Amino acid sequence: MTTRSKDFFTYENYQEAADFVRSKTRHQPKIGLILGSGLSPLADEIDQADIIRYQDIPHFPHSGVVGHAGQLVIGKLAGQMLITMQGRSHFYEGYLLQHITLPIRVMKLLGVTTLIVTNAAGGINTNFEAGNLMLIIDHLNFVGNGGHNPLRGPNLEEFGPRFPSMAQAYSPQLVGYARQTAQELGITLREGVYAYVAGPSFETPAEIRFLSAVGADAVGMSTVPEVIVANHCGMAVMGISSITNITIRELHSGLETSHEEVLETGKKIVPQLIQLLRAIVEKIE
Ligand code: HPA
């Protein structure tokens, strides 16, 4: 975790990382894709792949979590050039949010205009079942409300304004494509608000009832920092959660959530997620 000691990156740092990536690929990706826990196999669908390990890229955080590979896979999916993050870093690993979101700004410098984020999440909405996909339509940033925002620190005007709006953090156009595509394919696509918590401990039943009361449909430990930084630099964002487990709202239920369960269910959802993403990506201009 070589970047841990550095609190804020300079514009030149982002350029160094982007220059390195550019030197290692023949492609010019326009769409960024982040693969969450258990969803790594999706990167195997990328054709003409140029693979770059995070540990080789200047300033890049590299994740050590089981279920998260650590490499960029740049290549073609459904006729579009994608830069895929096979694995991401998390706040609970000890990284600052500036580290976690560095890859987004690197994508921006490489010419990416659309970001698709995926994650594993616990279902809070009582209509949801483990194995569902959920289109993220908005988020609750509990880590941010606690003071940790990836945009904290000197603002880099080259990327965006000091006080960016988050009124449409998830592109209405992409939400529309996702809805339409799911309908065309006959895939059940739930919709909801994603609550971002720090983890790594899972939520208590009281916390789940609290999150439910304030409007969360699903809860997870990622995604929101990347979405904020992508919006700041003007990318269109779409997010899909795989609901890997149903959260536990009753005390002494005898039930437990585990990382193994998250990875297992994540794996089972992959084929459907691949089918959906392929068809959505095809629609993006
Ligand atoms: N809580 C938080 N993060 C998660 C969960 C959960 O239940 N499932 C997958 N990621």
Side-chain angles (χ1 to χ4, degrees):
M1 221 176 281
T2 51
T3 52
R4 201 187 243 172
S5 58
K6 189 171 170 66
D7 282 2
F8 304 113
F9 293 114
T10 62
Y11 191 73
E12 289 68 35
N13 293 150
Y14 294 106
Q15 279 178 320
E16 283 157 16
D19 287 346
F20 181 85
V21 173
R22 229 179 263 117
S23 75
K24 298 287 178 200
T25 181
R26 44 202 158 136
H27 304 311
Q28 289 189 322
K30 289 280 173 280
I31 300 173
L33 172 64
I34 303 178
L35 299 176
S37 300
L39 306 176
S40 280
L42 214 149
D44 300 338
E45 301 290 309
I46 307 281
D47 294 325
Q48 301 163 32
D50 290 333
I51 293 174
I52 308 169
R53 293 183 309 173
Y54 295 164
Q55 64 200 73
D56 296 332
I57 308 171
H59 313 296
F60 238 67
H62 33 95
S63 179
V65 184
V66 178
H68 293 267
Q71 56 190 23
L72 292 177
V73 182
I74 307 174
K76 236 179 187 173
L77 183 81
Q80 304 261 24
M81 242 346 136
L82 261 70
I83 177 165
T84 302
M85 290 185 70
Q86 200 174 23
R88 59 147 71 82
S89 305
H90 303 82
F91 189 58
Y92 59 74
E93 292 171 79
Y95 291 103
L96 298 177
L97 297 181
Q98 286 83 356
H99 301 152
I100 294 169
T101 54
L102 173 129
I104 307 301
R105 287 181 164 175
V106 172
M107 287 183 190
K108 174 73 182 179
L109 293 177
L110 293 172
V112 167
T113 53
T114 300
L115 181 69
I116 300 173
V117 288
T118 66
N119 59 45
I124 292 178
N125 184 318
T126 52
N127 294 320
F128 291 2
E129 290 163 28
N132 281 163
L133 294 173
M134 184 191 89
L135 182 63
I136 304 174
I137 55 166
D138 205 350
H139 69 227
L140 286 159
N141 183 4
F142 284 100
V143 180
N145 294 336
H148 290 278
N149 190 295
L151 301 176
R152 178 173 172 269
N155 184 52
L156 296 179
E157 291 290 329
E158 295 94 332
F159 288 112
R162 171 78 287 185
F163 300 106
S165 168
M166 290 292 142
Q168 293 192 51
Y170 300 85
S171 153
Q173 186 182 36
L174 293 174
V175 163
Y177 288 165
R179 282 182 185 145
Q180 187 195 340
T181 307
Q183 203 168 28
E184 285 164 5
L185 296 174
I187 290 175
T188 302
L189 184 60
R190 309 288 194 170
E191 292 188 14
V193 173
Y194 174 89
Y196 173 47
V197 296
S201 50
F202 286 113
E203 301 70 37
T204 63
E207 284 166 347
I208 292 301
R209 294 193 302 273
F210 166 78
L211 291 171
S212 179
V214 297
D217 295 292
V219 57
M221 306 173 192
S222 69
T223 302
V224 166
E226 294 103 312
V227 169
I228 290 172
V229 168
N231 272 275
H232 178 250
C233 67
M235 289 182 189
V237 176
M238 189 188 82
I240 296 181
S241 293
S242 63
I243 305 297
T244 52
N245 57 288
I246 293 304
T247 55
I248 299 155
R249 38 174 88 214
E250 303 303 334
L251 204 53
H252 309 309
S253 66
L255 302 169
E256 303 278 2
T257 303
S258 73
H259 188 53
E260 289 70 34
E261 177 188 8
V262 168
L263 293 182
E264 268 308 302
T265 316
K267 243 184 242 163
K268 286 187 203 142
I269 306 177
V270 165
Q272 204 175 50
L273 184 60
I274 289 173
Q275 197 193 1
L276 184 66
L277 282 180
R278 265 185 188 285
I280 293 172
V281 161
E282 218 164 44
K283 287 192 170 74
I284 295 172
E285 283 110 39

